Amino acid sequence: MTQPDPRRWRLLGLLAVAQFMLILDVTVVAIALPNIETDLQLQRETLTWVVSAYTLMFGGLMLLGGRAADLFGSRRIVLTGLAVFTLASLVTGLATGPEMLLGGRVAQGIGAAMLSPAALSVVTKTFEGDERNKALGIWSAMGGGGSAIGVLLGGLLTAGPGWEWVFYINVPIGLIVFGALLRMLPADQPSDQPGRLDVPGALLVTAGTGTAIYALINAGDNGWLSATTLGTLAAALVLYGMFAWVQRTVRSPLMDLRIFTRRPVTAGTFMILVATALMISMFFLGSFYLQHFKQYGALRTGLLFLPVALAAIVGAQVAGHVVGRTGARPIAVVGFLITAIGVAAPAIWEGAAVIVAGMTVGTVGLGAAFVASSTTTFAQIDYREAGLASGILSTFHEFGASLGVAVVSSIAAASLAGTVSTGFARGFTFAAITAAVAAVLALVVVPAFKPLTGGVHVH
């Protein structure tokens, strides 16, 4: 057995900061949107795409990023992705109109899709056994905490130097992390398996995901059962079907679809989809309630999200320490139940304090669910598939974000457009029921715990 790299925790810290920036960029824009809309005179639909262009590229191209990491080596893909993301952040901040803004967001998403799965692949190869569980706990805390801190930071930057700094802040951080990773990332051998990138597969899965997200974004306006919504969702299913067919016929497929016949992978992807959908929909409802219904400013709203951000980190840390002894199933069940209890409070009672307290409790549970998701997915993954598994997990993370916002914005439409609070109650009620159902399903789908002995991990 090889000696572990003495610098592995410092390397994890740098990769976690990079991942933190990517996740931050999903929610940091939320509070800045009204100011961006005014400054650049954006149409309402364009504004939605400021968020969705990023999550679409990030989610849609993630599998290609994961596969590229397996074929060409994680080091090269991590550094390229970080460089693209940092440069794109500068362009987005300098935007003077919608074309440059959305172009920058698309490029940010492409960089993120390369960086995220390749970085997670490095983490899973660098750590083993119980250390790997702790490392994935820290990684999950960065993911969960990044979403919540994004809202806080968005408030601080928008109220302070201006919305452009929501993007500019990535530039110095990106340059510092790039310089440090250049020295510290281990040189890895590209895959010994001959293969090429399956670009048609990547385009089909991105088009399928993009079409589905487009249908969900517009379902609130068009109606969930309208011909437009159902037709667009059917088109997405056709594209996914074509993707599955291509994967079976090309010599070097983007992903071996048989990976989904493994119960840990299916259970892990289910958990991350639901946990992300719940987290982003809670932030969306909470941010709208505080800013639009309560008329709080960007700074005050951002500060109220501080306990929510800390809660995600606490939940992930506790779960990361316990998961090695208990397995993922009890953590997933308890995590989703805690979320259901927390989110039920604003579903029943009204008020800013109740919403913040409910979201804080709910996010503790979701932080734990993220850890359960990643440890379950990687339980039986060979290191040669680490990039692919990371890509699948991250794809479902981004798809969950889009799904959550689309569904609750439709359910809470009356409150988002007007001055009544009933829509918020309905949105939180839906989230509470979803969390409770997820807890029951986790009991069924997450594999039972088998204690680790010696070198059980395939490494």
Side-chain angles (χ1 to χ4, degrees), residues 130-190:
D130 202 39
E131 271 200 349
R132 186 198 273 190
N133 291 335
K134 285 200 184 104
L136 288 172
I138 292 167
W139 185 265
S140 301
M142 282 295 177
S147 297
I149 289 170
V151 186
L152 168 67
L153 197 62
L156 290 170
L157 293 172
T158 306
W163 65 263
E164 297 89 348
W165 283 90
V166 163
F167 305 109
Y168 287 155
I169 195 162
N170 294 327
V171 179
I173 298 169
L175 290 172
I176 292 163
V177 173
F178 187 90
L181 285 176
L182 204 56
R183 288 200 312 276
M184 208 180 289
L185 268 177
D188 51 6
Q189 295 305 312

Side-chain angles (χ1 to χ4, degrees), residues 14 39 55 101 104 108 125 136 180 228 251 254 263 275-276 300 370 390 397 450:
L14 286 168
D39 273 13
T55 53
L101 183 74
Q108 275 189 308
K125 289 177 197 168
L136 288 172
T228 312
R251 203 167 44 189
L254 191 60
R263 191 172 158 196
T276 313
R300 189 174 175 188
F370 282 124
S390 309
H397 182 281
K450 294 184 184 71

Side-chain angles (χ1 to χ4, degrees), residues 140-291:
S140 301
M142 282 295 177
S147 297
I149 289 170
V151 186
L152 168 67
L153 197 62
L156 290 170
L157 293 172
T158 306
W163 65 263
E164 297 89 348
W165 283 90
V166 163
F167 305 109
Y168 287 155
I169 195 162
N170 294 327
V171 179
I173 298 169
L175 290 172
I176 292 163
V177 173
F178 187 90
L181 285 176
L182 204 56
R183 288 200 312 276
M184 208 180 289
L185 268 177
D188 51 6
Q189 295 305 312
S191 171
D192 47 6
Q193 311 157 322
R196 60 168 74 96
L197 281 179
D198 170 23
V199 177
L203 292 175
L204 280 168
V205 78
T206 307
T209 309
T211 307
I213 290 171
Y214 179 79
L216 294 168
I217 286 170
N218 294 306
D221 295 333
N222 297 332
W224 282 93
L225 298 175
S226 69
T228 312
T229 301
L230 295 178
T232 316
L233 286 173
L237 287 176
V238 169
L239 288 164
Y240 280 133
M242 288 167 68
F243 168 69
W245 177 76
V246 167
Q247 296 314 285
R248 293 225 308 278
T249 53
V250 295
R251 203 167 44 189
S252 197
L254 191 60
M255 64 183 288
D256 183 350
L257 293 174
R258 286 173 303 186
I259 198 168
F260 283 110
T261 61
R262 295 185 215 170
R263 191 172 158 196
V265 175
T266 312
T269 49
F270 156 73
M271 284 191 284
I272 203 155
L273 178 81
V274 177
T276 313
L278 285 168
M279 181 171 269
I280 303 296
S281 58
M282 275 194 329
F283 294 165
F284 182 82
L285 286 172
S287 176
F288 256 94
Y289 180 85
L290 295 171
Q291 276 197 286

Side-chain angles (χ1 to χ4, degrees), residues 277-344:
L278 285 168
M279 181 171 269
I280 303 296
S281 58
M282 275 194 329
F283 294 165
F284 182 82
L285 286 172
S287 176
F288 256 94
Y289 180 85
L290 295 171
Q291 276 197 286
H292 289 258
F293 188 69
K294 285 289 189 185
Q295 295 290 301
Y296 292 175
L299 181 60
R300 189 174 175 188
T301 302
L303 289 171
L304 283 171
F305 269 83
L306 184 58
V308 185
L310 295 174
I313 295 165
V314 169
Q317 276 303 296
V318 171
H321 285 296
V322 176
V323 72
R325 293 193 296 276
T326 64
R329 187 193 281 174
I331 286 174
V333 173
V334 172
F336 282 125
L337 281 177
I338 289 171
T339 303
I341 292 163
V343 184

